[in-house]
Amino acid sequence: MRLPSLSLLSAAASVVFGFRLPAPGNPEYQSLALKDRALRARQSRVTDSTVEQQRAAAVKDAFTFAWNGYFTTCKGQDELEPVTNTCTNPRNNWGASAVDALSTALVMGSQPIVTDILDYIATIDYTTTATEVILFETTIRYMAGMLSGYDLLEGPLSNLTTNASAVDTLLAQSKSLADSLSFAFNTSSGIPSNHLYFTNQTNDGATTNGLADIGTLCLEWQHLSDLTGDPSYGDLAQKAETYLLNPLPESNEPFPGLVGTNVNISNGVFLDATGGWNGGDDSFYEYLIKMYVYDSSRYSNYSDRWIMAADSTIKYLTSNPASRPDLTFLASYVNTTFVNSSEHLTCFDGGNFLLGGSVLGRQDYIDFGLALVNGCHDLYNSTLTGIGPEIFSWNTTGVDSTNEAFYHANGFYITDPLYDLRPEVMESFYYAYRITGNTMYQDWAWNAFVAINATTRVGQGFSAISDVDAANGGSFDNVQESFLFAEVMKYSYLIHAPDSIFQVASNGTKNQFVFNTEAHPLKVFGPPV
Ligand SMILES: *[C@@H]1O[C@H](CO)[C@@H](O)[C@H](O)[C@H]1NC(C)=O
Ligand SMILES: *[C@@H]1O[C@H](CO)[C@@H](O)[C@H](O)[C@H]1NC(C)=O
Ligand SMILES: *[C@@H]1O[C@H](CO)[C@@H](O)[C@H](O)[C@H]1NC(C)=O
Ligand SMILES: *[C@@H]1O[C@H](CO)[C@@H](O)[C@H](O)[C@H]1NC(C)=O
Ligand SMILES: *[C@@H]1O[C@H](CO)[C@@H](O)[C@H](O)[C@H]1NC(C)=O
Ligand SMILES: *[C@@H]1O[C@H](CO)[C@@H](O)[C@H](O)[C@H]1NC(C)=O
Ligand SMILES: *[C@@H]1O[C@H](CO)[C@@H](O)[C@H](O)[C@H]1NC(C)=O
Ligand SMILES: *[C@@H]1O[C@H](CO)[C@@H](O)[C@H](O)[C@H]1NC(C)=O
Ligand SMILES: *[C@@H]1O[C@H](CO)[C@@H](O)[C@H](O)[C@H]1NC(C)=O
Ligand SMILES: *[C@@H]1O[C@H](CO)[C@@H](O)[C@H](O)[C@H]1NC(C)=O
Ligand SMILES: *[C@@H]1O[C@H](CO)[C@@H](O)[C@H](O)[C@H]1NC(C)=O
Ligand SMILES: *[C@@H]1O[C@H](CO)[C@@H](O)[C@H](O)[C@H]1NC(C)=O
């Protein structure tokens, strides 16, 4: 049986002890009083800091285990393939897992790992690679990983190294990487190409780029400018962003603030009106509010667009499945036609609404964010493994004898059952806990972490699995993306870790850091909000 949410239990309890007290002999009284006692017992257990410490320590153990497996076998390469204990280089052989792990090792205070990564980063040559470079991935993983390391080591975690030159190297390497990438923006509109070849300074010839690929550069490139004093990096990303903030033609903004996906690289014009918060579009919306958190004095254009998008999302994309109207998912759209399907990737949405609501002082966005978090928890709570699927649907047209019972019980059915070690559900649990203080979200995160650890752990690491609703996750896909280190481990840890300046601000305090889309905390530049 599904438990009602804590807020419902609290409401029920206040009825018991406040206004409408049934007689003590009444079964309703017994049931509500029991629920309330369980609730209070649970709260006192979870707020007990030793439970938090044990959970944080268990996550740190899992991170250290995976780090040792990767570094022993694949030092200098991008990823460990944990089933075969071999290495693979989908990220240009610059050591993606190490760079992505740095900010997590820092927030966990793992000094030996930090030292190993700093020594390694100094040896990377970002100026050359024979393989195709993806601007978006390289920016969010490598550039942000190093800039975050720089911010944390120059700031609150300066005690984790005594090697000042290693810290300076992080910034120098970020600049070297950006200098190598910047030819991507050399197009007639300034919209970058996403697929690049360093050897001949060309690209794959694509005539379009996607919304998220264009709109998830501004935070990192602007921060590099703000740290180096050279405005050229930020200017490149901001120029590309102007086309997204002032979209043309009007018909490809089917709802105010909600735009299409593919943009013509030669003139910056949107080519369709298909979109929403799914993969491909997702982090464009995410960064609209994060730019405002980064510098509220410079980026109110961005928050204005986020507010338009958020209001339209609540008004048009809110979707309550017919079999479980208590759940909230986000539909996507093709022009103004809705599609009742969503993704694990989309589950960052709850956290993003919570962040927006918290910095703008908008309880309605916070409440909507919590409804989305609750829907994404249902994905995890409904499967055999306790982990949510890659893609799911609540389109009644697709309900058949194979998925009918599942759909009726859970409000969705699985259309792609794999789990790729994605972080978005954990990420939204993290924002929900930081912003409400409700320990239920810590419990949800812990259950998810235990399930991920139990199902995906293999060899010297963790692997993507083929089926979240099969015993033992079906089979191992032998893939350990670097975001396991950057995101899954970090959010799983920080939700139980002591408060600190780099954590997302709790209700009533202000954000000194903002997490990029790969969970690398970057120091805010403007007046904190
Ligand atoms: C570094 O500083 C942080 C924050 O003050 C503290 O929690 C941590 O214990 C320190 N770590 C080391 C290795 O000194
Ligand atoms: C400091 O870091 C640099 C890499 O930036 C490394 O080459 C050097 O050996 C380190 N120095 C010490 C004393 O560890
Ligand atoms: C930009 O592209 C033009 C040709 O389209 C080329 O002449 C110029 O050198 C390029 N500039 C940079 C900085 O790559
Ligand atoms: C540039 O290099 C890439 C990768 O080596 C190659 O596929 C592409 O055809 C080259 N483009 C040009 C214009 O030479
Ligand atoms: C932000 O808004 C200001 C004032 O409306 C405008 O001048 C500026 O071009 C806008 N910036 C972008 C990136 O659209
Ligand atoms: C992209 O814009 C150019 C003009 O700059 C135009 O020639 C081309 O047809 C456009 N592409 C599409 C697919 O509309
Ligand atoms: C969306 O609308 C445009 C014009 O309003 C139309 O040309 C296009 O075919 C529509 N796209 C789809 C997928 O229906
Ligand atoms: C449901 O799926 C059908 C195809 O099976 C599709 O035509 C329809 O547009 C979908 N509707 C929604 C709301 O997802
Ligand atoms: C579903 O959630 C409940 C309450 O949080 C929990 O007891 C149960 O173990 C969860 N089930 C799964 C499969 O995660
Ligand atoms: C899509 O979801 C909406 C609820 O938001 C529902 O009204 C509609 O019937 C659903 N359509 C299909 C085809 O499942
Ligand atoms: C934030 O704090 C204020 C004042 O204490 C309180 O009224 C509000 O409910 C809190 N919001 C959340 C989401 O906890
Ligand atoms: C993770 O899995 C390992 C190996 O089975 C186990 O020793 C450890 O206790 C697990 N951690 C958690 C938090 O479940």
Side-chain angles (χ1 to χ4, degrees), residues 238 241-242 245-246 301-302:
Q238 303 290 343
E241 186 85 17
T242 57
L245 296 177
N246 307 282
N301 288 34
Y302 287 68

Side-chain angles (χ1 to χ4, degrees), residues 25-52:
N26 181 326
E28 194 189 345
Y29 175 92
Q30 299 291 345
S31 150
L32 289 173
L34 272 175
K35 278 183 188 157
D36 186 65
R37 258 202 304 279
L39 178 68
R40 281 159 198 239
R42 200 160 138 282
Q43 278 176 336
S44 69
R45 175 180 63 75
V46 176
T47 50
D48 179 350
S49 68
T50 63
V51 172
E52 293 184 332

Side-chain angles (χ1 to χ4, degrees), residues 191-229:
I191 301 251
S193 302
N194 198 34
H195 296 258
L196 312 171
Y197 306 116
F198 281 11
T199 46
N200 53 18
Q201 299 280 295
T202 64
N203 57 62
D204 67 351
T207 55
T208 66
N209 197 354
L211 182 66
D213 291 325
I214 304 164
T216 318
L217 306 168
C218 45
L219 179 59
E220 293 83 357
W221 287 69
Q222 187 60 52
H223 192 44
L224 180 61
S225 277
D226 293 337
L227 288 174
T228 58

Side-chain angles (χ1 to χ4, degrees), residues 117-263:
I117 298 176
L118 292 179
D119 287 348
Y120 165 68
I121 286 177
T123 69
I124 302 172
D125 182 357
Y126 283 117
T127 64
T128 169
T129 174
T131 49
E132 185 182 84
V133 180
I134 303 180
L135 177 64
F136 164 81
E137 300 285 356
T138 305
T139 296
I140 68 169
R141 301 189 202 217
Y142 286 110
M143 196 191 295
M146 294 188 292
L147 292 176
S148 177
Y150 181 81
D151 286 340
L152 292 168
L153 286 166
E154 280 285 309
L157 298 176
S158 61
N159 61 347
L160 289 175
T161 185
T162 52
N163 188 340
S165 107
V167 180
D168 292 341
T169 297
L170 293 173
L171 188 56
Q173 285 284 52
S174 303
K175 197 169 161 349
S176 162
L177 177 57
D179 289 338
S180 296
L181 290 168
S182 58
F183 78 89
F185 296 88
N186 188 17
T187 61
S188 55
S189 67
I191 301 251
S193 302
N194 198 34
H195 296 258
L196 312 171
Y197 306 116
F198 281 11
T199 46
N200 53 18
Q201 299 280 295
T202 64
N203 57 62
D204 67 351
T207 55
T208 66
N209 197 354
L211 182 66
D213 291 325
I214 304 164
T216 318
L217 306 168
C218 45
L219 179 59
E220 293 83 357
W221 287 69
Q222 187 60 52
H223 192 44
L224 180 61
S225 277
D226 293 337
L227 288 174
T228 58
D230 176 348
S232 67
Y233 307 107
D235 287 351
L236 291 172
Q238 303 290 343
K239 168 70 184 170
E241 186 85 17
T242 57
Y243 299 96
L244 311 182
L245 296 177
N246 307 282
L248 290 172
E250 219 172 274
S251 58
N252 287 339
E253 185 179 355
F255 309 100
L258 294 173
V259 293
T261 297
N262 292 296
V263 180

Side-chain angles (χ1 to χ4, degrees), residues 354-355 357-363 366 370 430-438 499 503-511 529:
L354 280 150
L355 177 66
S358 122
V359 301
L360 299 170
R362 289 281 300 267
Q363 191 64 41
I366 291 178
L370 293 176
Y430 171 66
Y431 280 91
Y433 173 64
R434 291 296 304 173
I435 286 161
T436 67
N438 185 336
D499 199 9
Q503 293 247 32
V504 166
S506 291
N507 189 14
T509 64
K510 292 183 188 302
N511 290 282
V529 289

Side-chain angles (χ1 to χ4, degrees), residues 1-3 377 380-386 444 447:
M1 199 199 86
R2 205 163 287 104
L3 286 181
H377 174 249
Y380 274 53
N381 203 245
S382 302
T383 66
L384 218 50
T385 59
W444 287 3
N447 291 343

